[in-house]
Amino acid sequence: MRKVGDAYYNSSIEARAGNISGGLDYDPLAYIIEKAHAAGIEVHAWLNTFRIWGAKDYPKDPNHIVNLHPEWLTRTSSGGLAGTEGLFLDPGVPEVQDYTYNVFVDVVKNYDIDGIHMDYIRYPGKNFGYAAPAVERFNMETGRTGVPANNDTLWQQWRRDQVTALVRRIYKGVNSIKPEVKVTAATVPWGDCSSSFGNTSAYSLVYQDWCRWMEEGILDANIPMNYKKESNPRNAREYRNWLNGFKRWQYSRQVYNGQDFLQSPELVAQQLEAARKYGADGMVGFAFNQSESRVKLVRILKNGVFAEPAAVPEMPWKYSAHRKKSRELYAKAIDAATIGRDLDKAIGLLKEALIVDPHYIDASFRLGRCYMRKGMYDEAAKKFEEVLAERPDYLSAKKNLDEVNKKIESSKSDEAVPDTSSASGGEEQQENK
């Protein structure tokens, strides 16, 4: 949904991607959500984080972030901009942190997504991070002067901390807005897996301390891009070494093994069986473009690895977040109804609580009570019936439902009373009209 600082959705922050087919009224993300949810499929919005342009030329749009804020681009110590992967924003620039955070929460606020996925959540290489505002900030925080050497351990750790700070901020921000939305990241497992995370490519080459993210609990699931060729004995060995590493550094979160789908279908299936054997919580295939190979892959997986339906792994801590958020909304609703005497506000808050936690029985009951106090008896009866369908022993709901039904019946009786006005009176009124 965000490829290179552009938007494949309706964004209030970034320009619309230039290669979207269809008119301006077509919203790709909204369309995906509509179709996927109707089929029972989750939608996780994939956003490239710090990488914001390719390796060639500059964007033509003057409003693209590259053109608006070239000082935010990360550089090498010698001033070079573009790595082999293109242009990156510098995580050490405070405005980059704010801007990127706002891009992510904008999607979460405005779309009914099930998850948000951070890719390129790292530096492009070990010699990057030298944007002038970043170096200035580092010196201010450490009491240093000049330009730090690339092998300076304090400078290396500072750059790791900048990436981690954004991951933490996005995770907490998403949880405060929609605690049910899952936060995941594409992470680096290049080369072989070391017994010490400090010696891995993620930690030492691109300053991506995903082990810390898992331990701290600021990712719901880690998706390491374990793209190794099974046909290469060395790659096959590294693939399994990393599977062991993922489990070792999993902590209380989940790991979905990133799987190379571009090799032969038979080898894909072989690696998936290995991932299952080593205890991965799930898998993510890359890529799944339409092709004859994909048709064959689907057939092999359906008859083998995925002969039985695979359930989406449950995340108990996300349910805890649901409960916390819904209870906060419930408490605010009670205050609105009892202290502020604002039933409309209370109804709105209770509806929000039920969106977060649809099975929150007390919120359904209180919503029914608010409807009842406003004289919305049909709506109240429906809510009380929903409560009793899940909790037949909820006596207060039964009592209130009886009262509401009596009022509904009384209202119907009043409507059934015939008009006693005289015929002449009626004719007189008609003439007056």
Side-chain angles (χ1 to χ4, degrees):
M1 293 295 106
R2 184 191 195 222
K3 188 177 180 182
V4 281
D6 48 10
Y8 290 83
Y9 59 96
N10 289 341
S11 173
S12 60
I13 300 173
E14 295 191 303
R16 183 178 175 88
N19 62 344
I20 298 175
S21 298
L24 294 177
D25 59 339
Y26 171 58
D27 183 338
L29 181 52
Y31 179 82
I32 291 167
I33 291 169
E34 177 189 353
K35 297 298 183 183
H37 283 181
I41 299 172
E42 291 189 2
V43 175
H44 293 232
W46 171 10
L47 280 70
N48 286 336
T49 311
F50 292 122
R51 180 182 182 270
I52 50 152
W53 198 251
K56 295 182 179 180
D57 304 322
Y58 268 41
K60 295 179 181 179
D61 186 345
N63 294 317
H64 192 284
I65 196 65
V66 167
N67 295 319
L68 288 176
H69 291 286
E71 74 278 11
W72 292 1
L73 298 174
T74 194
R75 298 172 181 269
T76 64
S77 55
S78 60
L81 277 171
T84 57
E85 298 171 303
L87 301 177
F88 280 62
L89 293 176
D90 197 308
V93 177
E95 292 84 357
V96 167
Q97 295 268 339
D98 294 340
Y99 178 83
T100 310
Y101 171 80
N102 289 332
V103 168
F104 274 79
V105 298
D106 180 57
V107 177
V108 174
K109 286 178 180 178
N110 293 302
Y111 289 90
D112 185 22
I113 56 174
D114 303 283
I116 195 126
H117 180 65
M118 299 175 281
D119 201 354
Y120 288 101
I121 182 72
R122 56 178 174 82
Y123 284 82
K126 65 186 301 181
N127 195 33
F128 283 85
Y130 287 88
V135 173
E136 181 182 348
R137 179 167 164 238
F138 170 76
N139 286 335
M140 182 182 65
E141 293 181 2
T142 60
R144 298 273 197 91
T145 58
V147 179
N150 190 49
N151 61 357
D152 184 324
T153 55
L154 184 62
W155 171 234
Q156 290 174 334
Q157 185 56 48
W158 189 85
R159 284 178 283 180
R160 285 187 204 99
D161 291 342
Q162 305 319 301
V163 180
T164 296
L166 182 62
V167 174
R168 183 185 299 115
R169 186 177 178 186
I170 288 173
Y171 188 82
K172 290 184 176 181
V174 171
N175 266 2
S176 69
I177 300 165
K178 292 180 182 176
E180 70 276 15
V181 171
K182 302 168 185 177
V183 180
T184 63
T187 59
V188 168
W190 297 336
D192 205 352
C193 181
S194 171
S195 59
S196 167
F197 191 79
N199 294 327
T200 63
S201 50
Y203 188 88
S204 61
L205 294 181
V206 291
Y207 307 122
Q208 184 189 72
D209 192 355
W210 58 255
C211 177
R212 179 180 175 184
W213 307 345
M214 299 294 278
E215 186 174 14
E216 191 176 329
I218 52 176
L219 275 188
D220 293 314
N222 180 25
I223 305 178
M225 298 171 286
N226 196 12
Y227 306 148
K228 313 289 185 183
K229 296 298 182 184
E230 186 68 12
S231 58
N232 181 309
R234 177 181 173 181
N235 280 185
R237 183 175 65 254
E238 291 173 346
Y239 175 85
R240 287 155 180 80
N241 289 343
W242 273 112
L243 289 173
N244 271 327
F246 302 153
K247 294 300 292 184
R248 184 163 63 247
W249 299 313
Q250 178 172 354
Y251 298 97
S252 60
R253 292 306 197 233
Q254 294 176 351
V255 178
Y256 307 151
N257 181 59
Q259 176 70 50
D260 179 5
F261 269 20
L262 300 179
Q263 51 189 326
S264 76
E266 292 82 4
L267 295 181
V268 171
Q270 192 172 324
Q271 287 193 333
L272 287 174
E273 290 285 12
R276 180 172 285 172
K277 177 183 176 182
Y278 279 75
D281 297 293
M283 72 86 186
V284 174
F286 183 83
F288 207 52
N289 299 340
Q290 181 63 51
S291 66
E292 291 183 9
S293 179
R294 185 175 83 167
V295 174
K296 184 178 180 182
L297 174 62
V298 168
R299 184 171 63 251
I300 287 176
L301 296 184
K302 190 174 181 180
N303 293 327
V305 183
F306 297 128
E308 299 295 328
V312 176
E314 293 185 2
M315 295 179 173
W317 61 91
K318 296 302 285 185
Y319 179 68
S320 298
H322 277 227
R323 288 177 60 85
K324 181 180 178 182
K325 178 72 172 180
S326 63
R327 271 59 182 173
E328 289 173 352
L329 291 166
Y330 178 84
K332 291 179 181 178
I334 297 301
D335 286 346
T338 57
I339 300 174
R341 304 293 180 184
D342 189 341
L343 290 175
D344 289 330
K345 182 178 180 180
I347 287 171
L349 289 165
L350 289 167
K351 285 181 176 180
E352 285 187 53
L354 287 167
I355 290 172
V356 174
D357 185 359
H359 301 290
Y360 191 1
I361 297 299
D362 289 338
S364 290
F365 172 72
R366 289 295 173 184
L367 183 54
R369 286 280 299 167
C370 287
Y371 284 144
M372 187 176 175
R373 288 171 61 186
K374 280 183 66 72
M376 301 167 64
Y377 299 128
D378 289 334
E379 291 84 349
K382 183 179 178 181
K383 275 294 153 192
F384 294 139
E385 287 168 356
E386 288 176 4
V387 170
L388 291 168
E390 289 205 39
R391 283 270 307 278
D393 60 338
Y394 206 120
L395 298 181
S396 295
K398 188 176 187 305
K399 178 182 177 182
N400 280 274
L401 179 60
D402 290 342
E403 291 181 22
V404 167
N405 283 335
K406 287 178 182 178
K407 290 186 179 294
I408 292 173
E409 287 300 319
S410 175
S411 176
K412 289 179 179 178
S413 297
D414 290 342
E415 291 174 0
V417 174
D419 186 358
T420 56
S421 60
S422 65
S424 60
E427 291 168 359
E428 197 174 271
Q429 290 176 2
Q430 186 65 32
E431 288 174 6
N432 289 338
K433 285 181 181 178

